[in-house]
Amino acid sequence: MRINKYLAQNGYASRREIDKLIESGDIKVNGKEIMQGQKVTDNDKIFIKGKLFEKPKSENKVYFLLNKPRGVLSAAKDDRGRKTVVDLIDTNERLYPIGRLDSETEGAIILTNDGDVFNKVIHPKGEVYKEYFAILKGEIKDKDLSRVAKGVILDDGPTLPAKTKILKRAQGRSEVIISIREGKNRQVRRMFDAVKHPVVYLRREAIGKINLGKLELGQYRKLTSQEINYLKSL
Ligand code: URA
């Protein structure tokens, strides 16, 4: 982006005032003098009258996808000092996890400082399916899996229809994929409890179109611009 636009968008001054500073040689980029029309990115060091320009924090929206390990809480802070998902991400921004995974569940969780996106994913107008891989106790019968898919009655009401797929049944265990579009507390665990096949392992694979992919446990990455646009479109 042209430097006058970049600095104006980041609240430094108007484009005309910035152009004047460029004319008078008061702006340098990465130690070099510049001309009108110079292009810059967030990675360039812009000095105005010898002082490093810092982009205001509030303008800096960040979006991360974390592969949450077991035992880590999905909260910004914990009163009892336990480790949270925010502790795993190295940034100066104030992040909030979008939605929750219970402490024992692994997998995809998005963290951001963008309040608008936060609300869209929590209260989507459309349907955001969250996909989970689960290992269940016992070899689940097709009829029980379809009961889960149709919806079961939990203490806090019935669940919406879900998508389910059996991957494997062997040696007293079943591996399944389940996609749900609500976020009741410990929902997947309670849905399988309802058909007497408790979950012994749970991992969230995807939130809508945003996939864990090859992200290792405890690792995180920035969302791509496509993924960010997708979240904003919800
Ligand atoms: N369902 C659960 O049981 N736990 C989660 O963390 C998310 C969905």
Side-chain angles (χ1 to χ4, degrees):
M1 183 186 297
R2 284 167 170 250
I3 188 163
N4 57 0
K5 185 172 177 193
Y6 179 89
L7 289 173
Q9 275 193 358
N10 285 299
Y12 185 78
S14 71
R15 283 198 209 183
R16 272 180 62 195
E17 286 164 313
I18 294 159
D19 287 340
K20 281 192 200 148
L21 289 167
I22 298 174
E23 288 303 323
S24 56
D26 282 322
I27 304 188
K28 289 189 175 155
V29 173
N30 303 325
K32 294 200 189 111
E33 307 221 329
I34 57 158
M35 300 214 288
Q36 297 290 1
Q38 166 88 27
K39 298 237 167 113
V40 290
T41 69
D42 284 346
N43 298 326
D44 290 311
K45 296 229 176 314
I46 303 173
F47 286 85
I48 306 172
K49 296 186 174 168
K51 197 163 167 259
L52 180 66
F53 170 75
E54 287 189 79
K55 203 169 159 169
K57 283 265 171 348
S58 58
E59 293 300 313
N60 192 18
K61 303 275 197 267
V62 292
Y63 311 84
F64 295 99
L65 178 68
L66 169 73
N67 186 350
K68 181 185 102 58
R70 266 185 149 149
V72 176
L73 301 185
S74 299
K77 267 198 238 106
D78 180 53
D79 304 342
R80 291 195 267 149
R82 288 168 299 178
K83 194 176 256 184
T84 74
V85 284
V86 170
D87 296 331
L88 297 183
I89 296 187
D90 189 16
T91 174
N92 292 327
E93 302 296 335
R94 271 170 79 98
L95 296 181
Y96 299 92
I98 301 186
R100 285 171 180 262
L101 289 177
D102 69 64
S103 156
E104 287 309 294
T105 298
E106 294 178 355
I109 187 156
I110 296 170
L111 295 104
T112 183
N113 59 355
D114 183 339
D116 292 341
V117 159
F118 180 90
N119 287 325
K120 281 186 173 169
V121 181
I122 300 267
H123 307 290
K125 287 204 200 85
E127 296 180 350
V128 181
Y129 275 93
K130 288 128 198 152
E131 183 183 299
Y132 295 83
F133 167 78
I135 304 181
L136 313 176
K137 194 168 169 198
E139 297 176 23
I140 192 168
K141 298 207 171 70
D142 285 343
K143 79 169 178 21
D144 286 330
L145 197 58
S146 19
R147 268 181 67 201
V148 167
K150 281 194 188 120
V152 288
I153 312 283
L154 303 179
D155 292 344
D156 46 356
T159 61
L160 290 175
K163 299 179 197 170
T164 56
K165 186 173 158 192
I166 184 87
L167 299 178
K168 193 167 156 185
R169 289 183 188 97
Q171 294 166 339
R173 290 266 196 271
S174 306
E175 294 183 8
V176 298
I177 298 282
I178 176 165
S179 301
I180 58 173
R181 53 193 158 106
E182 319 161 81
K184 295 181 192 287
N185 189 31
R186 299 174 70 85
Q187 182 167 336
V188 173
R189 294 179 192 277
R190 291 193 293 140
M191 286 170 92
F192 286 107
D193 283 344
V195 292
K196 309 248 166 6
H197 287 283
V199 168
V200 294
Y201 171 83
L202 189 60
R203 177 174 70 232
R204 183 154 69 188
E205 298 282 4
I207 301 161
K209 291 183 184 167
I210 300 174
N211 270 286
L212 210 48
K214 293 201 162 52
L215 202 61
E216 307 241 338
L217 214 49
Q219 300 295 303
Y220 60 90
R221 65 169 173 86
K222 285 193 169 166
L223 293 190
T224 63
S225 46
Q226 260 185 341
E227 289 171 330
I228 296 167
N229 288 337
Y230 161 70
L231 288 181
K232 290 183 177 171
S233 75
L234 294 174

